[in-house]
Structures are given as C-alpha cells and as structure tokens.
Amino acid sequence: MNAIEIHDLNVWFGSGPDRANAVRDVSFDVADGESFGLVGESGSGKSTILRTIAGLVPTWSGQMTVAGEQLGRRRSKAFYSKVQMVFQDPYASLHPRQTVDRVLSEAMHLHNVPDIDTRIVSLLDDVGLGSGFRFRYPHQLSGGQRQRVAIARALACDPSILLLDEPTSALDVSVQAEILNLLVDLRREHKLTYIMVSHDLGVVGHLCERIGVMKDGRFVEVLAVEEMRRLEAKSPYTRHLLESSINSIH
Amino acid sequence: MTDAPLLDVENLWVRFRTRSGVFDAVRGISFTLGKERLGIVGESGSGKSMTGRAVLRLIRPPGMIEADRLDMHGEDILTAPEKRMRKLRGGRVSMIMQDPKFSLNPVMTVGQQMVEALRAHERVSRSEARARALAMLDEVAIRDPERVFTLYPHEVSGGMGQRIMIAMMLLPNPEILIADEPTSALDVSVQLQVLDIIDKLVRDRGMGLMFISHDLNLVAKFCDRIVIMYAGRIVETCKADELRNAQHPYTLGLLNSVPDLEHPREKLEVLKRDPAWREAPSVSARQ
C-alpha cells in the first residue's frame, strides 16, 4: 500500500499578475515504510511540497492521499497525529521560553495521548537524550540536542509519516552524522515513512531509497539511489547536480 | 618562504569574561600564513571563527585578545591604534562572511556600497571607482555588471550576493583574505562556482587565504595546508594532500562522519570525544 499518493499537484503563491507557480504538475507515490528524497536548488519548490502536504499552504490543486485519507481544504485531527514535520532550523523551531517537558507534553495533550509522564521519559530515551534533559530550556541545549528534541516532538503522537525539511543542514558534519543515524534507527524501530528534503545529495543518498530531482517547480526525474550512485542519471540537470556534489565532497 | 609571512601569530588567546568565570574560546594557538591557502577546520565552538576575527582585532569587550606575537607583514597589530586598524581592515585584510543576506547593506544599491568600500581605502574619483567596481563584478563572473550595479541586495540570489561580497572585498586589493564559511549558505551547485572564483582570484593576485569551514573534505580539496582545531586548540596540522595520513582520532572522526554518495555505509561513524583532546597541548602551525 502507498502511504502517500500525490497526483498533478500544483501550488502557487499570490494571484493575478503576481501569481508565482511554485510547484507544477508533480506526481509521485511513496510506499509504506519507504523513504523518499526531494532534491533541488533553493527555490525549486521542494520544501513547498512538504509544507503543502502538512497543510501549511492553502493554495493548491490536484489530488493528495496521505495515510489513507483523501486531503481536502480541511484535514481531520487523525491526519495530524499520523503526519508530523521536522523543520530545518532547530534554533527557530522550538519555543525559547518553554522547557523540553512543556514542548513535548503540549503536543501530546493536543492529541489526547494517555500517560504523558512516562511517555516523555521514553521519548527522550528514544532520541538518545535521557531524562536529564527534561526540564531544560532550548538555550541550554546544543544544536544537535535541539534537533533531537524537535524529532521527539514530532514522534510524540506516534505518527506513521515524518516530513523532514533539511533536518541537518544547520548542524556540523559530526553532529549531522549522529542525527542521520538516529533517523535511520527510528525509522526501523517505529516503521516510519519519510519524505526528506535536502540539497545535499550525500545526505539524501544515505537515508532515502528513491529520489525526486526538482527544478523550477517540476520533477526532472525520479531515480533509485543505486542508479544515482552509479551516476546513471538520465537528465543533464541531475548529472550536473551529481557532478557538483561529488566534486565538492571529494 | 623567503620573506616575512603575511601573518605571524604566536600563542594567541581569546577570552571572554562571563558570570561563571573566564571562558577561553581560543587557547594559545600559533600559526603563520604566507602566500598560500590555509584551511582552518573544526566544529562549532572550536574557536575557528574567533581566530579569524582576532586577526582583525574584531573582538569587542568583554572579549579579550592576548598573544605573544600578532604580526601582519612585520607590523605589530596587537597594540596598533584603532585608527590604524580601520585602515588595515578592508584595505590589507578582507573578510567574507557566511551569509550575504546579513552582510550586505539592504538599503544601498550594490554599486553604491562597492564604491563606498573602495573610496574608504583609496583616494579615487567616483567615475574611476565605478569603473573598477564594474570590472571587478565582471571578474567574479557576473554576466551583466551594469544591471547588477543598480540592484539592491534583496533583488539578487544568494550565490550572486556572495559573489558581490567577494568582489567588494577584493576591490581595494588586499593581501590577506579571510573567508568564514563563505559557501555554507549556498546550494551545492553554486558552491563550487563561488569556490572556483575565490580560488582563481587568490591565485592571480598572489594573496594569502584563510579559509574557515566545518567541512574537512571541502577544505582538503581547496587548500594547501590544513589546521584542525578542537576546543580552542590546534590538534593537528598537515598538508592538504597528506590528509589521508592524518593521525589524530578527531580528524579521522570528522573525515568519516560525512555521508558519501559513492561509498554508502549502513551506519555513519560518530565522534567519540576523548576528554584528553581538550588538555593536549596545542600543535604549532608555524612554518
């Protein structure tokens, strides 16, 4: 079964002469338990797709079926407990005046999760923080620890799908490795489906099985990670991306 | 090296007074910079950016800079008056910051700020400054300099903004360029282009480059010599092409923690920090 089916998705901002088409005629499926990557330059519309799925952009057309639910203008409460998002910048996505405990328990209150107290402890364990971090404020945490809290918050209501918007680009390479390992482990333990946006092909190649390459709001091509590793890209744009990332990493 | 190095730093400390005592951000490092490309690598908090700023004496109270020697081309800059420092900054040493969105003036056109930067350091007429600014924009591979000259920073892309930044910094012909993570705010496809431009300009002009980054692989590809910093000290220094023979576990950890497209691994290596690294004496990177 497919966890996510997107058909002819168009997303735009503004109207009339100011209308900018951010995503044009994009279709793709993500199977249950699969991890799908979206890559492209800034402004190619990859984050917009994630935000539209999450319900953060109202101006879209097309068909989206996510976790068995056909999406319309309004989403059910069950949708939000099945689909959660992790944002790029852990410095901006946590409330500076709320403790870790409050951030996590608020998410669980909203979804009527029972037994919040024990669940917070197990969540913090899951993301490798331990209960010592429970009553800290974000400014008392490092970037990597904050991103762990953001991931714990996303996992709080036991979702089946995680939308990851450049989850490691604000972090150091050494910390990035820790977070990527954590995401791999969590996916296996919780049987999660991922859609991950990144401009770093190495990161996407590590975490994803299939990759959609975007340019100017359209899909240039969708290829499996093995094809990408063998540099068997069909479109010249993908090849250009591959070359620049291999040159810069080696 | 035949003549005096462009930069000669010995036992540099950067300290901050905080409520819980004095915090040492940089703890007694020594290095020299000749006409070469020197890469400084480390994680956030390792003191690499502070080192770059200390060289320009850009650390304000409560921060303090101490050193046995801080010479620029034989001139002592540790005790130089502020007026002299203002001449040096931008004139003989320039700095490229991480994000052009925050380092260009949003209410001046690209042209205005370039001309202003040049005229702050050299006595040139407006028309000559304009001509040199246009020529410089052309050198950083901006296709239509005349048009870009009249744009405001919000009207240009990130990659173009960074190229404008480079053009502006190189306009007064500095001898030393300090680039603090110049490409981390840019897309991969643009990164390479910007690096190529920096590389070409530094070579053509025979400048010294201090390249500060957290990405060891990038630095290894781009620089001649690498200094690896941890907790305010230098743990290892080597030639870029000898990086494969690096010994220090921290260096190896940094190298192995990057996901590699061509050589996939089930699990990425994670740094296991040894408290002894903090206490080990700083390695000298003087030549």
Side-chain angles (χ1 to χ4, degrees), chain A residues 95-170:
Chain A
H95 195 302
R97 297 183 62 171
Q98 291 188 355
T99 58
V100 171
D101 177 76
R102 179 132 177 238
V103 168
L104 297 180
S105 54
E106 185 177 16
M108 286 189 268
H109 269 302
L110 287 172
H111 291 285
N112 303 318
V113 178
D115 206 6
I116 290 178
D117 196 52
T118 43
R119 182 137 170 80
I120 288 183
V121 177
S122 76
L123 269 175
L124 287 174
D125 267 346
D126 274 356
V127 296
L129 279 178
S131 47
F133 287 88
R134 185 167 171 184
F135 295 102
R136 295 222 197 161
Y137 286 96
H139 74 265
Q140 295 168 309
L141 305 173
S142 71
Q145 289 166 343
R146 284 181 214 209
Q147 199 59 299
R148 285 172 194 266
V149 173
I151 292 170
R153 190 211 44 80
L155 291 176
C157 51
D158 211 6
S160 58
I161 298 172
L162 275 195
L163 306 173
L164 307 164
D165 189 0
E166 305 247 17
T168 60
S169 65

Side-chain angles (χ1 to χ4, degrees), chain B residues 7 22 71 85 113 119-120 167 187 191 199 214 238 247:
Chain B
L7 260 181
V22 177
D71 285 0
M85 284 312 295
Q113 44 192 306
R119 279 167 55 100
D187 280 327
Q191 266 183 12
D199 187 43
H214 68 270
C238 63
Q247 297 290 318

Side-chain angles (χ1 to χ4, degrees), chain A residues 64-83:
Chain A
M64 295 199 284
T65 309
V66 176
E69 181 179 336
Q70 173 96 35
L71 300 185
R73 293 285 156 240
R74 288 182 63 91
R75 278 137 216 231
S76 67
K77 201 166 173 189
F79 170 84
Y80 291 108
S81 70
K82 275 184 275 177
V83 182

Side-chain angles (χ1 to χ4, degrees), chain B residues 17 45 51-53 105 112 123 170 200 207 211 218 282:
Chain B
R17 278 215 183 88
T51 306
R53 299 179 78 97
N105 186 340
Q112 278 171 339
R123 296 171 66 101
L170 293 184
K200 180 175 166 289
M207 288 164 38
F211 190 90
L218 180 75
S282 186

Side-chain angles (χ1 to χ4, degrees), chain B residues 129-198:
Chain B
R130 184 188 145 86
R132 273 176 62 185
L134 285 172
M136 196 65 225
L137 283 176
D138 191 48
E139 254 190 274
V140 293
I142 285 177
R143 253 162 277 151
D144 191 356
E146 299 271 352
R147 188 181 67 89
V148 173
F149 199 77
T150 59
L151 295 179
Y152 283 93
H154 72 270
E155 296 173 301
V156 301
S157 66
M160 201 189 283
Q162 200 60 302
R163 279 183 279 166
I164 291 168
M165 198 66 203
I166 295 169
M168 194 190 308
M169 289 301 116
L170 293 184
L171 209 43
N173 278 321
E175 294 169 323
I176 302 171
L177 182 66
I178 301 173
D180 190 353
E181 304 260 7
T183 58
S184 16
L186 307 177
D187 280 327
V188 237
S189 46
V190 189
Q191 266 183 12
L192 213 59
Q193 209 182 351
V194 169
L195 286 177
D196 280 343
I197 290 170
I198 297 182

Side-chain angles (χ1 to χ4, degrees), chain B residues 1-19:
Chain B
M1 209 86 37
T2 48
D3 49 358
L6 296 175
L7 260 181
D8 192 346
V9 180
E10 206 174 313
N11 197 18
L12 172 73
W13 289 74
V14 177
R15 294 196 163 102
F16 289 91
R17 278 215 183 88
T18 65
R19 268 176 294 180

Side-chain angles (χ1 to χ4, degrees), chain B residues 217-250:
Chain B
N217 290 298
L218 180 75
V219 169
K221 184 170 177 286
F222 186 66
C223 295
D224 305 316
R225 201 152 64 92
I226 306 178
V227 164
I228 293 131
M229 285 187 73
Y230 181 77
R233 287 189 177 160
I234 298 176
V235 293
E236 190 161 23
T237 169
C238 63
K239 290 229 167 60
D241 43 17
E242 287 163 14
L243 185 65
R244 307 240 166 268
N245 312 331
Q247 297 290 318
H248 199 280
Y250 179 65

